[in-house]
Amino acid sequence: MAKSIVATGHFTGCFGCHMSLLDIDERILELVELVEFDKSPINDKKEFDRPVDIGIIEGGVSNEENVEVLRAFRANCRILVAIGACALTGGVPAMRNTVPLRECLEEAFVTGPTVVDGMIPNDPELPILLERVHPCRDLVKIDYEIPGCPPSADALWEALSALLEGREPVLSYEQLKYD
Amino acid sequence: MVQEQEALIERIVHDLGPDGTHVMDVARAVSKRFGYIPNSAIPTIARHLQLSPVEVRDMITFYGHLSTDPLGTTVVRLCNAVVENMMGAGEVAAAFERETGIRFGETTSDGEISLRYTACMGLSDQAPSALINDVPFTGIHPELVQEIVRGIRAGLNLTTLPGSGVRHNLKKPGEIIFRRSMEHGAAIDKLLGVSREEALEEIKRSGMRGAGGAGFPAGKKWELCKNASGDKHYVICNADEGEPGTFKDRVLLAYNAHQVFEGMTIAAYVVGATEGIVYLRDEYDYLRGHLERVLEERREKGVLGDTIRSYQKFSFDIRIEVGAGSYVVGEESALIESLEGKRAAPRERPPFPVQRGYLSQPTIVSNVETFTSAAAVIERGAEWFRSFGTDKSPGTKLLSVSGDVQQPGVYEIEYGTTIRTVLHLVGARNAQAVQIGGASGRCLSSGGFERRIAFEDVPTGGSFIVFGPGRDVLEYMRQFIEFFAEESCGWCTPCRVGTTLLSRFMDRLVAGEATRGDLDRAIEMCDTIRNASRCGLGITAPNPLLTSLESMPELYERRLSAESYAPQFDLGAELRAGAAAANRPAPQGM
């Protein structure tokens, strides 16, 4: 059987969901038997150059680069799975949504108590920030959403193995319980 | 002004005692005198009541009718609840804006008039309605607005202006609640020589259930309270009917307050309470004078006060406390919090109020109508009471009927009456749908009109809103959901966030932008809100969506977008602020 091709992506978040994926421990040996990794921060492959079966994305959408990469994921992945609180709701980064963007930037880079000779960063290399941080589903269709901050390794393993086997993922109560 | 504040606060606290539970009375008095609560008054109130300023601010900012922002001398609070909107509140609002030259939410530059919206204030039978300062105005139409605004500007007494006043629209009295005015003490006299246990037994045998909508057996509640240990027991009458479309307690308190107080007195006798409180919603403040007079009359007749009917062991008195505009106060534990001078956030349960309620003592909180029925049960007996209604829902129910009907008003019907019979009675031809039990109740279409008003079929707190043919029912469901998002106390995340997300979904649905996936997700969200919220507000908040979807799925089918996915994102608009802040051009064509 041909291996499924999997890509992973990271937008605005803490990388904790990728860390949780690595928490599958020795099951990663099983996984490499089943999948081939394409574009991912883990292997540092930058661009899509072939169709991907499953895309796994972490983080909310907070700047123009996030928008571009998320759209590329949707265009290149047959199944797109958003994982973790930031991808699903905006998460912690979305806390800035209650404050106007310019105010946030001014406090961080100009008027903050530890800032000396500050300015709002304007290097053309930097992606421009969006006014608000968005969950991924605001921009593109998401096929599956796995909640958690981060989702546990068991939850990710169940979701991924179900999709690889062509069945619907079912997360147990324990896999969705966080306290 | 600061000295005047200080003097006023000092005087009130001197009268009431330096007790934190009186913070609402103090706040209301300051608000009444100055039109708002100046920030400078908050530390003073706190000092006098031995609270921290943040506790006072927390309380004040919770209630819709208390404001720390300066308001005009005259505040027009126009009701924009569903029935009001059906009856033309939108045109009335436009007329007010035209006549005053300001928008709702603003105050005229001369500080004369503020325009505010408010939730249902119990006048849906004579909508559109408004409270102007404390004076209710009803049946307002755009042509009347000019005269009203001129009158306000001329400084005329508000009660002399056209449209002021309330009609007490009792359309159909029944056998139990509005049969006739009960003789003062007629039920209390039956208690003489009857033990507390025997009186309780009579209530239990009557099978009477709470009339607020949940239908908890009254006898059971009284028994739990009676058996709970505490230094004192309390009887509280919940006259905070805030469910959109309900106004029966307004009519009941206006016409038959004696019987309400009689019922409270009987409950006090059974549970061993000496103190009773009527929590009156701020919107009914105009009834307070009348209620105080009735209480005084009862004291004079010896059926209230120190020695009731010369019954040495039994004393009971009732005081009236007035709220400040909050829907969630209708929930019993939130009501108790409010009486204790706090923001009205529902409590964790257990313990239930019957075990630990007001000031941590065993407390009965019951609906106005429940007390009225209780008095009838004791006067005429459980057997007589059970001859009305159904086996599981004995007695009668007051319905507040409004919307597209010929005869809006209050109807006392027997439990077990079909919706079709009610529709016939009130003159509603070709009704498209009926909203029963208010925003938290259910929406039924003609397929459900044979169903019965009863706890075993369609329970209700009494609101009965009729949508005639041609009404856009989903638009009104959208407004109900928006109302919940507005009134959520904010304590539980599923309710605070969930109701807002549902509200946004309903906006998109009505605009024809929601996809089937959005609907599926909204239904899932309903499940989360219902299962994970602490109190009835969250548990019932999804009802407008779920019940209308069940009874009229075709309305949803017609409204859903044909797209399988619709982004909710405008990149150009999203980049504008960031590009401007960094002084960079916004990228084009992405």
Side-chain angles (χ1 to χ4, degrees), chain B residues 248-479:
Chain B
K248 55 155 183 101
D249 293 343
R250 178 196 90 214
V251 179
L252 186 43
L253 290 169
Y255 278 137
N256 209 1
H258 269 296
Q259 197 170 331
V260 179
F261 297 145
E262 187 101 0
M264 288 178 72
T265 310
I266 287 160
Y269 177 75
V270 169
V271 304
T274 56
E275 235 181 275
I277 303 170
V278 175
Y279 189 105
L280 189 66
R281 65 187 309 218
D282 190 32
E283 292 84 345
Y284 290 173
D285 196 37
Y286 56 86
L287 288 170
R288 178 155 48 163
H290 165 69
L291 296 177
E292 296 282 11
R293 279 192 296 280
V294 175
L295 287 174
E296 201 41 55
E297 201 181 323
R298 288 180 69 82
R299 286 185 198 107
E300 281 162 17
K301 299 220 158 133
V303 288
L304 191 72
D306 280 343
T307 310
I308 291 177
R309 281 288 195 244
S310 318
Y311 206 49
Q312 297 300 332
K313 285 175 296 183
F314 182 32
S315 72
F316 177 66
D317 212 330
I318 295 171
R319 69 170 198 268
I320 296 168
E321 295 279 347
V322 184
S326 160
Y327 169 73
V328 74
V329 165
E331 197 277 339
E332 58 176 5
S333 67
L335 184 145
I336 290 170
E337 287 284 296
S338 180
L339 279 177
E340 290 181 1
K342 293 176 246 173
R343 69 188 348 246
R347 292 177 178 174
E348 196 90 64
R349 293 176 301 174
F352 291 91
V354 287
Q355 302 158 308
R356 243 189 293 155
Y358 181 59
L359 305 176
S360 297
Q361 300 301 320
T363 304
I364 287 182
V365 183
S366 284
N367 189 272
V368 180
E369 193 179 339
T370 315
F371 286 119
T372 319
S373 292
V377 168
I378 294 297
E379 191 203 6
R380 306 284 299 270
E383 289 315 311
W384 169 81
F385 184 81
R386 291 202 76 102
S387 69
F388 302 97
T390 70
D391 189 39
K392 287 187 175 134
S393 312
T396 59
K397 180 78 195 96
L398 296 184
L399 294 182
S400 313
V401 178
S402 66
D404 297 318
V405 301
Q406 284 164 3
Q407 299 287 332
V410 169
Y411 293 74
E412 182 177 351
I413 57 142
E414 281 190 55
Y415 277 112
T417 306
T418 64
I419 291 162
R420 194 177 301 285
T421 308
V422 177
L423 287 171
H424 186 75
L425 193 65
V426 304
R429 269 189 231 122
N430 308 323
Q432 178 189 180
V434 187
Q435 182 75 19
I436 297 176
S440 69
R442 64 183 79 184
C443 181
L444 292 173
S445 62
S446 57
F449 288 174
E450 289 307 320
R451 297 184 65 178
R452 292 168 190 280
I453 305 281
F455 293 105
E456 61 271 30
D457 194 355
V458 181
T460 174
S463 170
F464 192 100
I465 301 171
V466 178
F467 300 113
R471 292 286 185 187
D472 181 358
V473 175
L474 285 195
E475 163 57 22
Y476 299 117
M477 297 301 123
R478 185 194 72 76
Q479 293 180 21

Side-chain angles (χ1 to χ4, degrees), chain A residues 64 67-68 71 101-102 105 120-124 126-132 134 137-141, chain B residues 504 521 564-569 571 573-587 590:
Chain A
E64 55 175 333
V67 174
E68 195 179 320
R71 286 176 173 168
L101 177 60
R102 184 183 283 271
L105 291 168
I120 292 174
N122 63 359
D123 192 304
L126 294 172
I128 294 174
L129 293 180
L130 304 182
E131 188 162 357
R132 297 186 310 129
H134 289 260
R137 86 168 84 80
D138 280 4
L139 283 80
V140 301
K141 183 169 192 295
Chain B
R504 288 191 195 155
R521 203 163 29 247
S564 68
Y565 172 79
Q568 296 162 49
F569 186 74
L571 183 61
E574 284 284 346
L575 287 173
R576 216 166 289 139
N583 206 12
R584 289 166 56 185
M590 273 181 73

Side-chain angles (χ1 to χ4, degrees), chain B residues 13-28:
Chain B
V13 174
H14 181 262
D15 291 348
L16 297 171
D19 178 345
T21 60
H22 296 313
V23 60
M24 175 77 92
D25 303 290
V26 179
R28 281 179 51 89

Side-chain angles (χ1 to χ4, degrees), chain B residues 26 46 56 82 106 109 151 157 188 190 248 268 299 313 335 357 374 383 416 447 473 477 490 500-501 545 570 575:
Chain B
V26 179
V56 177
V82 161
E106 295 176 353
S109 54
N157 184 337
I188 289 172
K190 301 271 176 176
K248 55 155 183 101
R299 286 185 198 107
K313 285 175 296 183
L335 184 145
E383 289 315 311
V473 175
M477 297 301 123
T500 297
L501 291 176
L545 193 169
D570 176 351
L575 287 173

Side-chain angles (χ1 to χ4, degrees), chain A residues 25-159:
Chain A
D25 298 334
E26 75 281 3
R27 284 173 289 188
I28 202 160
L29 298 175
E30 250 175 90
L31 189 62
V32 292
E33 294 298 315
L34 296 169
V35 309
E36 190 178 327
F37 273 94
D38 198 82
K39 174 180 159 61
S40 166
I42 297 172
N43 58 17
D44 211 24
K45 181 173 176 193
K46 305 283 193 209
E47 299 294 336
F48 284 107
D49 50 16
R50 58 176 171 170
V52 166
D53 296 305
I54 301 172
I56 300 170
I57 50 176
E58 161 189 358
V61 183
S62 76
N63 62 39
E64 55 175 333
E65 191 235 1
N66 290 164
V67 174
E68 195 179 320
V69 179
L70 175 59
R71 286 176 173 168
F73 262 86
R74 181 67 277 181
N76 288 282
C77 301
R78 192 166 54 83
I79 299 172
L80 194 55
V81 186
I83 64 173
C86 300
L88 270 56
T89 70
V92 171
M95 286 172 76
R96 79 158 160 90
N97 289 357
T98 57
V99 182
L101 177 60
R102 184 183 283 271
E103 232 174 88
C104 285
L105 291 168
E106 278 173 355
E107 168 124 16
F109 296 109
V110 184
T111 61
T114 59
V115 179
V116 179
D117 292 338
M119 63 174 289
I120 292 174
N122 63 359
D123 192 304
E125 287 289 305
L126 294 172
I128 294 174
L129 293 180
L130 304 182
E131 188 162 357
R132 297 186 310 129
V133 181
H134 289 260
C136 293
R137 86 168 84 80
D138 280 4
L139 283 80
V140 301
K141 183 169 192 295
I142 302 292
D143 301 302
Y144 295 95
E145 296 190 328
I146 315 292
C149 185
S152 68
D154 286 344
L156 293 173
W157 177 251
E158 157 60 21

